[in-house]
Amino acid sequence: MSTDLQSDVIRISKEEATSSHVDDLLKRQMSLRGEPGVTRDRGKKWYYQNWFVLMVVGALGAFTAWAINAPFYDDHLYLQGTIASIDLDKYQGLAAKLNIRGETIYVLPTTWEIEKGGAEHRLDLDSLRVGENVGAYVSYVEGKDQTEGLPVASFIVRSPPAQAGDSAKVSLEQLQGRHRVAGLLLFPLVAGFIGLFVGAADGLICRLPRRALLCGAVGLVVGLVGGFVCDIAAEIAYAPLTQLAMKQSKEPAFGLSTLGFVIQVFGRALAWGMVGVATGLGQGIALRSKRLLIYGLLGGVIGGLLGGMLFDPIDQILLGPHKPSAHWSRLVGLTVIGLSVGAMIGIVELLARDTWLRMTQGPLSGKEFILFKDVMNVGASPRSDIYLFNDPQVAADHAVIRSVGDECEIEARGATHPVLLNNNGVRRARLRHGDTVTIGRTTFVFQRRRG
């Protein structure tokens, strides 16, 4: 009889008892009993996905930069007044000279006319009259001797509305100075405000104002300074390509050939790719995380390249080549650049991350927290790397997650505030893919990249 009883004994080794298969069976039983954990895991929420959040805030950052810069940046300098004289004698291949408000404006055979109703067509020089009130959209073009810039009218506006304020007194020289300063600030402003919004986003979502201010401020400063530095490099790369693109067309001021357009797109993509270097570094620098720094660097460059590549096609689709101002197409183009930079930072982070926690129960259910440092503090303190707010069951310094080689382990900070691993209290334990970690009323699933 005793022999039969001994033969019925089932022996379970330590390795079998601690295997992931046992954990899977326990989770399945929890689910069948309706206990928290598996049944409450509602998966990812699209509005908490980092690529989506950063895409939105990147676009908002670029829009803000455009709104600040737009009033001062003009594609053409606009001068309005009465024609004092008309000289039809050709000068360096130009058709005529107009004197408006004491300024000499040169007119090309390709200058366009904008009628009072908005219709556009080639300008008929014989229709111009001394004493007529006109507006001129002017650009400075080098003469054949390349010794001076000549103010050449791209568009002549017939019967324009009266100018308000001091606009009617501003000279071409003053307009040109304002244009140069605004152009110099464009890249740094875009890089700085994308850096500000992208850097502050995660802190705002996690209700960490200190982190949001720190990362946002660092993102703004790095973007502004890096934007200036990268602007110099971008100009070195962009200017020759733009000149080459212009040479591909007989009338470069009014549209590029197909080859010229391709060269222009490539040049702008290269320039914005360089500027993108400075847009995603803020959070990595502020949090002293090498991983976030690399994610931001790669995402910023790729996003800048993509956004710059789309800029000119969007400009052509929205308004076409014959327009005095590209304010609205620039708005869309810069917003797409911000959108691309933010999205690519999030996507690079998504593809390159190694380990992360996904909140399945809690105030930010569905959000994923990347383990971006070797030591991550979890608790109710706003200084925690993972902040669990409004939960009386969570201590200020509740737990710590450490990277140990290729593995991660979690450790409870104190005996009075437990950490549950797969619903079992632990003092210190190694984390495996699929483990549930419960701290107070919040539950996470630990995940790691396969292979």
Side-chain angles (χ1 to χ4, degrees):
M1 182 70 177
S2 59
T3 303
D4 293 338
L5 288 173
Q6 290 179 356
S7 64
D8 292 334
V9 173
I10 300 175
R11 299 184 182 277
I12 302 175
S13 66
K14 180 180 179 180
E15 289 75 20
E16 291 172 332
T18 58
S19 69
S20 59
H21 179 65
V22 174
D23 291 336
D24 292 337
L25 291 175
L26 289 173
K27 292 176 185 177
R28 186 175 300 177
Q29 289 178 350
M30 289 165 55
S31 177
L32 292 173
R33 291 196 300 266
E35 294 180 7
V38 176
T39 57
R40 296 289 186 90
D41 186 354
R42 299 172 183 174
K44 302 178 182 179
K45 292 184 178 179
W46 60 272
Y47 49 83
Y48 278 144
Q49 297 308 295
N50 228 22
W51 64 267
F52 177 78
V53 172
L54 296 184
M55 178 180 70
V56 172
V57 299
L60 289 175
F63 172 81
T64 303
W66 171 86
I68 294 172
N69 187 264
F72 308 100
Y73 188 88
D74 300 305
D75 299 274
H76 298 86
L77 311 180
Y78 183 72
L79 184 74
Q80 182 176 316
T82 301
I83 300 177
S85 65
I86 302 174
D87 183 359
L88 296 178
D89 293 335
K90 291 188 176 181
Y91 174 77
Q92 293 191 359
L94 304 177
K97 291 188 292 183
L98 306 180
N99 187 291
I100 303 175
R101 277 176 37 200
E103 305 272 7
T104 299
I105 307 296
Y106 294 91
V107 181
L108 290 166
T110 52
T111 297
W112 283 66
E113 174 183 331
I114 302 177
E115 295 180 352
K116 188 174 182 179
E120 299 178 4
H121 53 77
R122 297 287 187 181
L123 175 65
D124 179 8
L125 286 174
D126 293 333
S127 68
L128 294 175
R129 295 289 183 267
V130 174
E132 180 183 0
N133 184 43
V134 297
Y137 286 98
V138 177
S139 297
Y140 278 88
V141 179
E142 288 185 349
K144 288 185 177 179
D145 56 7
Q146 296 185 347
T147 57
E148 59 181 355
L150 301 176
V152 177
S154 301
F155 297 86
I156 294 293
V157 183
R158 311 300 286 265
S159 302
Q163 286 185 297
D166 295 331
S167 300
K169 301 177 183 179
V170 181
S171 67
L172 281 179
E173 184 179 357
Q174 292 172 321
L175 290 171
Q176 178 71 346
R178 188 177 72 177
H179 172 82
R180 286 174 177 169
V181 172
L184 184 65
L185 291 175
L186 179 61
F187 277 19
L189 279 175
V190 173
F193 277 91
I194 292 176
L196 168 64
F197 281 61
V198 168
D202 194 63
L204 291 175
I205 291 175
C206 296
R207 301 188 188 182
L208 292 168
R210 180 177 175 275
R211 181 189 294 182
L213 287 172
L214 175 62
C215 294
V218 173
L220 176 63
V221 172
V222 171
L224 287 172
V225 176
F228 273 114
V229 175
C230 295
D231 187 16
I232 297 172
E235 186 63 26
I236 293 173
Y238 178 65
L241 289 171
T242 299
Q243 292 177 3
L244 178 61
M246 293 298 183
K247 291 178 181 178
Q248 308 305 312
S249 176
K250 295 180 180 179
E251 299 177 10
F254 299 97
L256 297 170
S257 65
T258 301
L259 178 58
F261 183 75
V262 171
I263 296 173
Q264 173 81 0
V265 169
F266 175 77
R268 200 180 300 274
L270 183 62
W272 279 107
M274 292 179 180
V275 175
V277 170
T279 59
L281 302 180
Q283 192 175 24
I285 293 175
L287 298 180
R288 300 178 183 179
S289 170
K290 182 179 178 181
R291 296 173 193 172
L292 292 180
L293 194 68
I294 294 174
Y295 299 158
L297 175 64
L298 292 177
V301 171
I302 297 171
L305 286 169
L306 179 61
M309 193 178 299
L310 295 173
F311 189 97
D312 288 287
I314 288 172
D315 181 43
Q316 295 296 313
I317 292 170
L318 283 181
L319 296 177
H322 304 297
K323 56 187 180 297
S325 174
H327 279 321
W328 298 114
S329 55
R330 187 177 298 109
L331 164 62
V332 177
L334 292 179
T335 302
V336 168
I337 286 173
L339 183 149
S340 301
V341 168
M344 290 311 302
I345 292 173
I347 290 172
V348 167
E349 180 183 285
L350 180 68
L351 296 177
R353 63 187 180 177
D354 294 317
T355 53
W356 64 98
L357 293 174
R358 177 159 55 87
M359 186 181 289
T360 57
Q361 285 181 255
L364 299 177
S365 181
K367 178 170 171 53
E368 295 174 338
F369 298 83
I370 293 177
L371 304 182
F372 58 84
K373 294 194 299 186
D374 290 338
V375 178
M376 297 276 291
N377 294 309
V378 185
S381 169
R383 295 180 179 272
S384 301
D385 296 301
I386 300 178
Y387 174 42
L388 303 181
F389 48 87
N390 296 334
D391 189 344
Q393 299 178 22
V394 179
D397 295 313
H398 198 110
V400 62
I401 300 174
R402 294 188 181 90
S403 294
V404 182
D406 293 332
E407 303 294 332
C408 288
E409 63 181 25
I410 189 167
E411 179 181 357
R413 288 288 197 181
T416 57
H417 294 87
V419 171
L420 302 182
L421 182 63
N422 299 320
N423 278 353
N424 295 314
V426 295
R427 177 67 178 169
R428 183 174 182 175
R430 183 153 294 183
L431 296 172
R432 291 169 295 184
H433 180 79
D435 282 347
T436 59
V437 177
T438 302
I439 299 175
R441 294 194 294 249
T442 303
T443 300
F444 301 92
V445 173
F446 174 76
Q447 295 180 303
R448 67 183 312 126
R449 186 160 54 91
R450 299 287 189 175

